[in-house]
Amino acid sequence: MPRMQSGRPAGPEPVVAIVGATGAVGAELIRCLEQRRFPLSELKLFASARSAGGTRHYLGRALPVHELTEDSLRGVDVALFSAGSATSRRFAPGAAGHGSVVIDNSSAFRADPRVPLIVPEINPQAIRDHRGIISNPNCSTIIAITPLWPIHRVNPIRRLLMATYQAASGAGAAAMEELRESTRAYLEGRAFAPRVLPHPYAFNLFSHNSSIDPDTGYNE
Ligand SMILES: NC(=O)c1ccc[n+]([C@@H]2O[C@H](COP(=O)([O-])OP(=O)(O)OC[C@H]3O[C@@H](n4cnc5c(N)ncnc54)[C@H](OP(=O)(O)O)[C@@H]3O)[C@@H](O)[C@H]2O)c1
């Protein structure tokens, strides 16, 4: 299929892949494709070897989950990546080289000047400049700047101070499950040893997305 430059495929409906299909974001991506009845000819699901052999449902059909390898994305027109930045860095350039358009949800290419950073409500036109990879900002950034954009156009914002409190969801599906389980244990007076996060999560507050720099007190 010719590479899509304007959002609409110039041929048959595209083959779409989700990389990270078993994760918290992957589940939302499947749901979005279903809700929008996204026009696709085939949906392929990928995760790590841990989840290979499982299935996920799409429009009432159980689709197999495959392990992502270097060749998995050959023949895929649009690859939606949400499997962490290391996976994106390793597999997205190769997929783009095979002719896929990669839409990357991780932080891997957000600061790469060759990769357009897109929020469709704000700068959809920048998609035209893509060279096979399109990135999107952190989720809290997208949510914050979407309503600020029309204000910015009338009255330019020079500086923005923001505080975000990343929830369990920010650490993925396993962390959300740990919050559920540890809350249940806490309320039932049972001991619970954290497995996913470095500290007890239920009724606690701590920084979990990266280590704290002792000099500045900031994390990533
Ligand atoms: N832009 C945004 O709005 C936004 C919002 C939230 C999150 N994110 C990003 O999306 C990504 C996923 O977040 P999440 O919350 O969905 O995490 P998650 O629930 O932990 O899911 C991670 C997914 O990545 C897969 N994966 C891990 N290593 C892999 C590998 N080597 N090869 C192939 N697949 C691999 C996992 O497969 P297994 O089941 O096999 O482990 C799972 O499907 C992160 O990069 C996160 O920063 C972006």
Side-chain angles (χ1 to χ4, degrees), residues 20-26 47-48 50-51 68 82-85 87 105-106 110 136-139 142 169 171-173:
T22 54
V25 176
S48 78
R50 287 181 294 273
S51 300
L68 182 70
S82 68
S85 54
T87 305
N105 278 299
S106 81
R110 285 177 187 154
N136 66 35
N138 170 274
C139 42
I142 298 170
S169 59

Short mmCIF file of all heavy atoms in Angstrom, two decimals, residues 20-26 47-48 50-51 68 82-85 87 105-106 110 136-139 142 169 171-173, ligand 1:
data_model
loop_
_atom_site.label_atom_id
_atom_site.label_comp_id
_atom_site.label_asym_id
_atom_site.label_seq_id
_atom_site.Cartn_x
_atom_site.Cartn_y
_atom_site.Cartn_z
N GLY A 20 2.15 -4.17 22.00
CA GLY A 20 1.81 -3.90 23.40
C GLY A 20 0.32 -4.13 23.61
O GLY A 20 -0.31 -3.50 24.46
N ALA A 21 -0.23 -5.06 22.83
CA ALA A 21 -1.69 -5.27 22.81
C ALA A 21 -2.24 -5.79 24.13
O ALA A 21 -3.43 -5.65 24.40
CB ALA A 21 -2.06 -6.24 21.69
N THR A 22 -1.38 -6.40 24.97
CA THR A 22 -1.87 -6.97 26.22
C THR A 22 -1.79 -5.97 27.38
O THR A 22 -2.19 -6.29 28.49
CB THR A 22 -1.03 -8.21 26.59
OG1 THR A 22 0.36 -7.82 26.59
CG2 THR A 22 -1.24 -9.33 25.60
N GLY A 23 -1.26 -4.78 27.13
CA GLY A 23 -1.08 -3.81 28.20
C GLY A 23 -2.31 -2.94 28.41
O GLY A 23 -3.32 -3.07 27.71
N ALA A 24 -2.18 -2.01 29.38
CA ALA A 24 -3.30 -1.12 29.71
C ALA A 24 -3.65 -0.24 28.50
O ALA A 24 -4.82 -0.06 28.15
CB ALA A 24 -2.92 -0.25 30.92
N VAL A 25 -2.61 0.31 27.84
CA VAL A 25 -2.87 1.16 26.67
C VAL A 25 -3.33 0.31 25.48
O VAL A 25 -4.23 0.70 24.75
CB VAL A 25 -1.61 1.99 26.31
CG1 VAL A 25 -1.84 2.80 25.04
CG2 VAL A 25 -1.25 2.92 27.46
N GLY A 26 -2.72 -0.86 25.32
CA GLY A 26 -3.12 -1.75 24.23
C GLY A 26 -4.61 -2.06 24.27
O GLY A 26 -5.29 -2.06 23.24
N ALA A 47 2.94 -8.68 21.49
CA ALA A 47 3.41 -8.36 22.85
C ALA A 47 4.76 -9.05 22.99
O ALA A 47 5.38 -9.42 21.99
CB ALA A 47 2.40 -8.85 23.89
N SER A 48 5.21 -9.25 24.24
CA SER A 48 6.49 -9.95 24.41
C SER A 48 6.23 -11.46 24.43
O SER A 48 5.07 -11.91 24.38
CB SER A 48 7.14 -9.52 25.72
OG SER A 48 6.51 -10.17 26.80
N ARG A 50 6.24 -13.29 26.83
CA ARG A 50 5.43 -13.64 28.01
C ARG A 50 3.96 -13.87 27.65
O ARG A 50 3.30 -14.73 28.22
CB ARG A 50 5.48 -12.49 29.04
CG ARG A 50 6.76 -12.36 29.79
CD ARG A 50 6.65 -11.21 30.79
NE ARG A 50 6.52 -9.90 30.14
CZ ARG A 50 7.55 -9.15 29.75
NH1 ARG A 50 8.76 -9.57 29.96
NH2 ARG A 50 7.35 -7.98 29.16
N SER A 51 3.43 -13.08 26.72
CA SER A 51 2.00 -13.15 26.41
C SER A 51 1.70 -13.87 25.11
O SER A 51 0.53 -13.99 24.74
CB SER A 51 1.41 -11.74 26.32
OG SER A 51 1.58 -11.08 27.52
N LEU A 68 6.56 -10.21 19.42
CA LEU A 68 7.10 -9.25 18.46
C LEU A 68 8.55 -9.63 18.13
O LEU A 68 9.37 -9.81 19.03
CB LEU A 68 7.07 -7.84 19.05
CG LEU A 68 7.57 -6.73 18.14
CD1 LEU A 68 6.60 -6.50 16.99
CD2 LEU A 68 7.78 -5.44 18.92
N SER A 82 2.70 0.72 21.81
CA SER A 82 2.61 1.15 23.22
C SER A 82 3.17 0.02 24.07
O SER A 82 2.45 -0.63 24.82
CB SER A 82 1.17 1.49 23.61
OG SER A 82 0.38 0.34 23.61
N ALA A 83 4.46 -0.19 23.94
CA ALA A 83 5.11 -1.28 24.67
C ALA A 83 6.39 -0.80 25.35
O ALA A 83 7.32 -1.57 25.53
CB ALA A 83 5.42 -2.42 23.70
N GLY A 84 6.42 0.48 25.72
CA GLY A 84 7.59 1.04 26.38
C GLY A 84 8.60 1.56 25.37
O GLY A 84 8.64 1.14 24.21
N SER A 85 9.42 2.51 25.84
CA SER A 85 10.32 3.18 24.89
C SER A 85 11.43 2.26 24.39
O SER A 85 11.86 2.39 23.24
CB SER A 85 10.90 4.46 25.51
OG SER A 85 11.51 4.15 26.73
N THR A 87 11.22 -0.89 23.61
CA THR A 87 10.66 -1.67 22.50
C THR A 87 10.50 -0.79 21.26
O THR A 87 10.79 -1.21 20.15
CB THR A 87 9.30 -2.26 22.92
OG1 THR A 87 9.49 -3.01 24.11
CG2 THR A 87 8.72 -3.16 21.85
N ASN A 105 3.40 5.67 21.04
CA ASN A 105 2.88 6.28 22.27
C ASN A 105 3.93 6.44 23.34
O ASN A 105 3.64 7.00 24.39
CB ASN A 105 1.76 5.39 22.84
CG ASN A 105 0.45 5.63 22.17
OD1 ASN A 105 -0.07 6.73 22.21
ND2 ASN A 105 -0.09 4.61 21.54
N SER A 106 5.13 5.92 23.12
CA SER A 106 6.14 5.98 24.18
C SER A 106 6.92 7.29 24.10
O SER A 106 6.68 8.11 23.21
CB SER A 106 7.10 4.80 24.03
OG SER A 106 8.06 5.10 23.03
N ARG A 110 9.94 11.42 21.20
CA ARG A 110 9.26 12.71 21.41
C ARG A 110 10.19 13.89 21.21
O ARG A 110 9.73 14.97 20.82
CB ARG A 110 8.67 12.75 22.83
CG ARG A 110 7.42 11.89 22.95
CD ARG A 110 6.88 11.88 24.36
NE ARG A 110 5.79 10.91 24.48
CZ ARG A 110 5.44 10.31 25.59
NH1 ARG A 110 6.10 10.56 26.72
NH2 ARG A 110 4.45 9.45 25.61
N ASN A 136 3.53 10.84 19.82
CA ASN A 136 2.59 11.72 20.52
C ASN A 136 3.10 12.00 21.93
O ASN A 136 3.92 11.26 22.45
CB ASN A 136 1.15 11.18 20.49
CG ASN A 136 0.97 9.89 21.24
OD1 ASN A 136 1.61 9.67 22.26
ND2 ASN A 136 0.11 9.03 20.75
N PRO A 137 2.68 13.12 22.52
CA PRO A 137 3.24 13.50 23.82
C PRO A 137 2.74 12.62 24.95
O PRO A 137 1.82 11.81 24.78
CB PRO A 137 2.75 14.94 24.02
CG PRO A 137 2.18 15.38 22.72
CD PRO A 137 1.77 14.15 21.99
N ASN A 138 3.32 12.83 26.11
CA ASN A 138 2.85 12.18 27.33
C ASN A 138 1.36 12.48 27.51
O ASN A 138 0.87 13.54 27.13
CB ASN A 138 3.66 12.75 28.50
CG ASN A 138 3.10 12.34 29.84
OD1 ASN A 138 2.22 12.98 30.37
ND2 ASN A 138 3.60 11.24 30.34
N CYS A 139 0.65 11.51 28.10
CA CYS A 139 -0.82 11.63 28.18
C CYS A 139 -1.27 12.88 28.94
O CYS A 139 -2.22 13.55 28.54
CB CYS A 139 -1.41 10.37 28.78
SG CYS A 139 -0.48 9.73 30.18
N ILE A 142 -0.96 15.92 26.66
CA ILE A 142 -2.02 16.03 25.64
C ILE A 142 -3.28 16.63 26.27
O ILE A 142 -3.89 17.56 25.72
CB ILE A 142 -2.35 14.64 25.04
CG1 ILE A 142 -1.14 14.04 24.33
CG2 ILE A 142 -3.54 14.73 24.09
CD1 ILE A 142 -1.30 12.58 23.93
N SER A 169 -2.03 3.78 37.05
CA SER A 169 -2.15 3.48 35.62
C SER A 169 -0.91 3.90 34.85
O SER A 169 -0.59 3.31 33.82
CB SER A 169 -3.39 4.16 35.03
OG SER A 169 -3.28 5.56 35.21
N ALA A 171 2.00 3.31 35.54
CA ALA A 171 3.00 2.23 35.58
C ALA A 171 2.47 0.95 34.93
O ALA A 171 3.09 -0.10 35.04
CB ALA A 171 3.42 1.97 37.01
N GLY A 172 1.33 1.03 34.26
CA GLY A 172 0.86 -0.10 33.46
C GLY A 172 -0.14 -1.01 34.16
O GLY A 172 -0.49 -0.83 35.33
N ALA A 173 -0.58 -2.01 33.39
CA ALA A 173 -1.67 -2.90 33.84
C ALA A 173 -1.29 -3.65 35.12
O ALA A 173 -2.12 -3.82 36.02
CB ALA A 173 -2.00 -3.89 32.73
N1 LIG B 1 1.03 8.72 24.98
C1 LIG B 1 0.17 8.39 25.91
O1 LIG B 1 -0.89 8.97 26.04
C2 LIG B 1 0.46 7.23 26.84
C3 LIG B 1 -0.36 6.98 27.93
C4 LIG B 1 -0.06 5.93 28.77
C5 LIG B 1 1.05 5.13 28.48
N2 LIG B 1 1.82 5.41 27.40
C6 LIG B 1 2.97 4.58 27.05
O2 LIG B 1 2.49 3.36 26.52
C7 LIG B 1 3.38 2.30 26.85
C8 LIG B 1 2.64 1.13 27.49
O3 LIG B 1 2.02 1.54 28.70
P1 LIG B 1 1.01 0.56 29.46
O4 LIG B 1 0.47 1.35 30.59
O5 LIG B 1 0.06 -0.08 28.49
O6 LIG B 1 2.03 -0.58 30.03
P2 LIG B 1 1.70 -2.09 30.42
O7 LIG B 1 0.29 -2.25 30.88
O8 LIG B 1 2.81 -2.50 31.34
O9 LIG B 1 1.83 -2.90 29.04
C9 LIG B 1 3.07 -3.02 28.37
C10 LIG B 1 2.85 -3.76 27.06
O10 LIG B 1 4.10 -3.81 26.36
C11 LIG B 1 4.38 -5.18 26.03
N3 LIG B 1 5.82 -5.39 25.98
C12 LIG B 1 6.72 -5.22 26.96
N4 LIG B 1 7.96 -5.54 26.52
C13 LIG B 1 7.82 -5.91 25.23
C14 LIG B 1 8.72 -6.38 24.23
N5 LIG B 1 10.03 -6.51 24.46
N6 LIG B 1 8.21 -6.69 23.01
C15 LIG B 1 6.91 -6.56 22.74
N7 LIG B 1 6.00 -6.14 23.65
C16 LIG B 1 6.45 -5.82 24.88
C17 LIG B 1 3.73 -5.97 27.14
O11 LIG B 1 3.57 -7.30 26.74
P3 LIG B 1 3.51 -8.54 27.80
O12 LIG B 1 2.07 -8.75 28.12
O13 LIG B 1 4.07 -9.68 27.01
O14 LIG B 1 4.35 -8.15 28.97
C18 LIG B 1 2.40 -5.21 27.24
O15 LIG B 1 1.55 -5.57 26.17
C19 LIG B 1 4.48 2.95 27.72
O16 LIG B 1 5.56 3.29 26.87
C20 LIG B 1 3.83 4.19 28.23
O17 LIG B 1 4.75 5.20 28.54
C21 LIG B 1 1.54 6.44 26.57
#
